[in-house]
Amino acid sequence: MIDVAGAGIGFVLMLGLMFIGLHVATALFIVSALGCVVYLGVPTLMSFGENAWGVLNDFIMTAIPLFILLGEILLRAGITERMYNSLSDWLSRFPGGLLHTNIGASALFAAVSGSSVATAATIGTVALPAFRSRRYNERLVLGSIASGATLGILIPPSINLIIYGAITNTSIGRLFAAGILPGFGLAGLFMVTIAALCIWRPEWAGLREERAPLADRLRRLGALMPPFFIFVVVMGSIYLGWATPTEAAALGVVGALVLAAGNGKLTFAMLHSAFEATIRTTAMILLIILAAFFLNFVISILGIPQTMANFVAETGATPLMTMLLLTIFYLILGCFLETLSMMIATVPVVVPIVVALGLDPVWFGIYLVIMMEMALVTPPMGMNLYVVQGVRGGGPIRDVVIGTLPFLAVRIVFVAAIIFWPEIVLWFPNLMFN
């Protein structure tokens, strides 16, 4: 069994390789291979092929490209713009006006796309032109889009929750159920934050919108039905026991194709671009997962999880102290690592420690995803900052960073809340799954 010093050296080496720009999968495999050669011998390294075959033939992995394809089809079917306009009819009357629409649209699109980056790009493209002539505070506009889009990896179906569940052997259905209240709860807190800021500084809320007639608002309300339909099909089939997450993802794709056909967008060109984007993203994610599973295999043989758990037990650290240290650790790590890399690199070591302390792995999965959300909007590696800045097309990126700060503060408070009251996360999955 490897000691704590050896495990620490391997972990620092892995992070160092990522920091210098090496591809995540390559960094993971190099550390795994070194662990095999130094501690276990070359024959263990030769088992990589068998390990890879087992991982890629896991049925749950098929859900990843299916959920990516679902988001790509909806993105190209023109559903998002109509959804945004419909939400603006009803949310723009609150203090903050159209800023609430950014959060509401992000939450709804997140509930069908499973990706924060896709949500940021889509909502940013639709929303930013609507603000340019209305004198809203630009930083708050950019911050609301970047922060609202982070909900894409928390509100189910979430690709990151699927990956976490696959690595830790945790129920995907319970993880999805656990993400619903925190996801929509954070969306509500973001909207409360916007209202409070705009009551404090009314000039940030831009020009007062003239309310559309009730008949027009009711007619445009139908634009909310497509994303709601997909959400019900996917999540309902899982919770009613009619389908596994992978089968539910396939049902969602079929539903998205029907919606695209109804909008007159189902063409060979659209399908080609959706398939191409899906293949590119899936290849990147599965390569990382493949290397992560092999690393997980190696550290399990080396006994690193047991060593780290014993080390934490010997230090006498309480669960609360451990979670506070992990929160600081993830806040710092999120400044330098991409979110998926951060999760893949730390889960094999951290989760056994958390479980040994008596914490629920479902709860920790939601906690980890919220910490990953923070990483999406913290410089210098915050991906959503660059996506929104790219859609914006000019100006200093510090405007986007400053705009996200109020929402980042809300998220830190929310993390503290779920640490002290885990029932916020666990109540609904416990109710659904008895």
Side-chain angles (χ1 to χ4, degrees), residues 189-206:
L189 289 175
F190 287 167
M191 295 174 73
V192 169
T193 302
I194 289 172
L197 289 172
C198 291
I199 290 173
W200 175 50
R201 300 292 295 270
E203 67 273 17
W204 288 0

Side-chain angles (χ1 to χ4, degrees), residues 303-372:
I304 291 176
Q306 295 89 340
T307 300
M308 298 301 295
N310 292 337
F311 175 76
V312 172
E314 289 170 1
T315 62
T318 65
L320 178 59
M321 289 172 56
T322 303
M323 291 311 305
L324 291 176
L325 290 173
L326 283 177
T327 300
I328 296 171
F329 169 71
Y330 279 120
L331 281 173
I332 296 172
L333 198 62
C335 294
F336 303 101
L337 278 185
E338 186 268 332
T339 53
L340 186 58
S341 310
M342 184 173 77
M343 182 178 74
I344 294 290
T346 60
V347 159
V349 176
V350 172
V351 169
I353 297 174
V354 170
V355 173
L357 291 171
L359 300 175
D360 193 308
V362 172
W363 173 87
F364 185 76
I366 301 304
Y367 160 86
L368 180 57
V369 167
I370 295 175
M371 297 307 299
M372 292 167 62

Side-chain angles (χ1 to χ4, degrees), residues 78-393:
I79 291 171
T80 311
E81 184 172 359
R82 287 194 291 274
M83 177 188 74
Y84 187 91
N85 292 333
S86 178
L87 282 173
S88 68
D89 288 338
W90 302 93
L91 297 180
S92 60
R93 305 306 297 174
F94 294 108
L98 284 177
L99 293 169
H100 294 290
T101 311
N102 292 343
I103 305 299
S106 295
L108 282 184
F109 191 76
V112 293
S113 72
S115 168
S116 288
V117 173
T119 303
T122 304
I123 302 303
T125 302
V126 173
L128 285 177
F131 284 97
R132 290 195 172 116
S133 61
R134 289 178 167 86
R135 301 180 189 174
Y136 279 80
N137 180 277
E138 187 176 22
R139 289 175 171 175
L140 194 55
V141 171
L142 298 169
S144 66
I145 296 172
S147 300
T150 61
L151 298 171
I153 61 173
L154 179 59
I155 297 176
S158 163
I159 294 171
N160 294 70
L161 287 178
I162 293 174
I163 296 171
Y164 172 86
I167 294 175
T168 61
N169 198 27
T170 304
S171 166
I172 306 296
R174 288 182 67 88
L175 285 168
F176 279 2
I180 292 176
L181 287 182
F184 287 104
L186 271 173
L189 289 175
F190 287 167
M191 295 174 73
V192 169
T193 302
I194 289 172
L197 289 172
C198 291
I199 290 173
W200 175 50
R201 300 292 295 270
E203 67 273 17
W204 288 0
L207 300 176
R208 191 76 173 174
E209 296 289 322
E210 183 177 347
R211 199 168 193 181
L214 180 61
D216 291 344
R217 285 184 283 138
L218 292 174
R219 177 175 51 82
R220 289 197 289 262
L221 198 60
L224 301 180
M225 295 309 296
F228 180 73
F229 166 73
I230 295 295
F231 183 79
V232 169
V233 167
V234 173
M235 304 308 298
S237 61
I238 294 174
Y239 295 147
L240 292 174
W242 295 347
T244 65
T246 301
E247 293 164 346
L251 289 173
V253 170
V254 172
L257 290 172
V258 172
L259 294 174
N263 287 343
K265 300 289 187 178
L266 188 60
T267 64
F268 284 110
M270 187 275 279
L271 288 176
H272 179 270
S273 61
F275 290 151
E276 187 177 33
T278 300
I279 291 170
R280 187 179 295 111
T281 304
T282 302
M284 180 269 294
I285 291 176
L286 288 183
L287 184 61
I288 294 173
I289 291 175
L290 191 62
F293 266 91
F294 188 59
L295 176 64
N296 208 354
F297 169 72
V298 172
I299 69 172
S300 297
I301 295 177
L302 291 174
I304 291 176
Q306 295 89 340
T307 300
M308 298 301 295
N310 292 337
F311 175 76
V312 172
E314 289 170 1
T315 62
T318 65
L320 178 59
M321 289 172 56
T322 303
M323 291 311 305
L324 291 176
L325 290 173
L326 283 177
T327 300
I328 296 171
F329 169 71
Y330 279 120
L331 281 173
I332 296 172
L333 198 62
C335 294
F336 303 101
L337 278 185
E338 186 268 332
T339 53
L340 186 58
S341 310
M342 184 173 77
M343 182 178 74
I344 294 290
T346 60
V347 159
V349 176
V350 172
V351 169
I353 297 174
V354 170
V355 173
L357 291 171
L359 300 175
D360 193 308
V362 172
W363 173 87
F364 185 76
I366 301 304
Y367 160 86
L368 180 57
V369 167
I370 295 175
M371 297 307 299
M372 292 167 62
E373 286 184 342
M374 293 192 205
L376 284 167
V377 289
T378 49
M381 288 294 291
M383 185 61 68
N384 280 19
L385 302 176
Y386 298 105
V387 171
V388 172
Q389 176 68 7
V391 175
R392 179 191 185 194

